Structures are given as C-alpha cells and as structure tokens.
Amino acid sequence: MNPSIADNIARVQAQILAACQAAGCTPGSVHLLAVSKTWGPDAVRQAHAAGLTAFGENYIQEAVDKITALRDLPLEWHCIGPIQSNKTRLVAEHFDWVHSVDRLKIAQRLSEQRPAELPPLQVCIQVNVDGGHNKSGVSPEELPALAQAVAALPRLQLRGLMTIPEPAETEAQMRAVHAQANALYEALRQQGLPLDTLSMGMSADMAAAIAEGSTLVRVGTAIFGQR
Ligand SMILES: *Cc1c(COP(=O)(O)O)cnc(C)c1O
C-alpha cells in the first residue's frame, strides 16, 4: 500500500493544468493515462479511488492478469508496449486502446481478432520521430501509408499517434522532437483522417509535450513511484 498515490495524482494533475494554461489549451483537453506496469492491482485500486480511470500497461500477460483481477471496476486499459504476433489475440480481447501499433500485420491481426461484442479497438500508431535506437515505431516516411491502411480496418478506430522520444538533455531539444510529432499528426489530419489523440509525454517530459500539443500524457513514476 502506498498512501502517497493520491497526493502524487493531485500533484501531476496540477502540473498538467499549469502546462495546459501556459500553452493556452483548454483545461481538460490533456488526458492523464496512469502507467501501472509492474504495480499490482492494489496500486491501481488506489489510483482509481483518487479519480483515475485510464491505465497503461506494457507487458501483455501481466496486464491481462491485472485486468482480470480488476473486472469489478469500470476501468479503461491501454496497451503501450511492443506487441508480438502471438500476443495480438490477448490484446484484442482485453484492451480498450493500443498505442503501439507500428506494423500493418499487427494491425490486421488485431482487427481480425477483436471480439464482435466489443466496440472497435481504439488505436494510435507509434512513430519513431527522432530515429532513436529504440527501433519501435514506424518511420515518418512510412507513416502516411500505414495510417491510411490502419484507418481502413473494420474493427479498429484510428485515433492518433504515439511517440517515445529518446531522453533529451535540454527542454529545447525535447520540445523540438515533440513539435516534429505534432507536425506529423497535423499532416495526417490535413489529409482527412479524423484524429484526436497525440499520445506524448511521460513523467520527465510532460510539460514540454503539452507545450507542443500533446492530448494524452502517459505517467508512471510520478504517480506510483520508482519501478
Ligand atoms: C513506462 C512507460 C511510460 C511511463 O514512464 P514514466 O517515466 O514512469 O512516467 C510511458 N510510456 C511508455 C510507452 C512506457 O513504456
């Protein structure tokens, strides 16, 4: 049990509000996704009691166990980690959102395997904006074709983009990478894709991401503590 989770959430929400006001965006337009990977169901229950409903997980099997243990709560689960082909069925059956789609093959499997009784899986495409050695994510060059193909799949709803930039040394460097992601996002919207989600910013770069147009920050450490 960690009695400070509620305090941490209040502090993070205040930081989001301040960053949002500084950037001139409408309060409430930046969503908070609590990244609960490695933390047990009790920590998620505490975060839910403090008002959060959306949780992000990286490791599929760990997540499925947690989702099952928390069926009594009205939670929304987001897959934010790499997905191997042999895990797509678990993801399609248990999650509400996936932020980490970066290949058409994975998207096709998710669409085929999404159970008919569930709403379409909400999807973001992970884009590798800075060419970092973390090789996950589609390149900016390949993004438009992948986005059009994913948008056409029947059981997926394409909502936007997700980025995980390499750690940067200065605020200006962080903002430059986030601005590039925002430009890719806006270009897809110009092409007519009805996107509303730019998933960027974590505990360390939340304010920089919001300043550059993030609509959803994924925060683990600042809520639950060091993993
Ligand atoms: C772990 C993780 C986060 C949360 O990172 P913190 O630094 O703990 O806030 C966000 N996004 C992704 C994709 C992650 O894997």
Side-chain angles (χ1 to χ4, degrees), residues 38-120:
T38 78
W39 297 98
D42 280 353
V44 175
R45 282 189 191 281
Q46 291 176 53
H48 174 257
L52 299 189
T53 53
F55 292 86
E57 291 282 337
N58 285 57
Y59 313 109
I60 312 302
Q61 190 57 58
E62 174 199 331
V64 168
D65 294 345
K66 216 177 291 181
I67 293 168
T68 307
L70 292 163
R71 283 247 186 269
D72 57 307
L73 298 181
L75 305 180
E76 185 181 273
W77 292 97
H78 296 233
C79 176
I80 61 173
I83 305 171
Q84 313 292 330
S85 300
N86 62 359
K87 290 282 163 52
T88 52
R89 183 174 298 280
L90 280 177
V91 173
E93 289 177 350
H94 291 91
F95 283 87
D96 303 291
W97 281 71
V98 178
H99 294 220
S100 41
V101 168
D102 64 356
R103 286 181 285 154
L104 184 56
K105 181 184 164 203
I106 295 294
Q108 285 167 333
R109 290 175 65 93
L110 290 170
S111 182
E112 283 160 15
Q113 294 169 345
R114 181 67 168 173
E117 69 274 15
L118 295 180

Side-chain angles (χ1 to χ4, degrees), residues 135-222:
K135 285 276 194 284
S136 295
V138 66
S139 69
E141 294 72 31
E142 290 167 313
L143 172 64
L146 180 60
Q148 295 292 345
V150 170
L153 291 171
R155 298 291 292 140
L156 304 186
Q157 184 172 357
L158 181 62
R159 300 290 295 270
L161 301 181
M162 189 266 269
T163 61
I164 313 177
E166 294 290 301
E169 278 169 21
T170 67
E171 174 89 3
Q173 283 169 347
M174 274 193 293
R175 284 192 56 164
V177 177
H178 291 319
Q180 276 175 272
N182 193 6
L184 294 170
Y185 172 70
E186 287 301 340
L188 293 177
R189 280 160 45 110
Q190 294 286 314
Q191 289 168 27
L193 290 173
L195 309 183
D196 63 3
T197 303
L198 184 53
S199 168
M200 67 180 186
M202 314 199 278
S203 295
D205 63 344
M206 212 168 66
I210 292 170
E212 296 298 341
S214 169
T215 70
L216 183 154
V217 289
R218 310 177 307 267
V219 180
T221 309

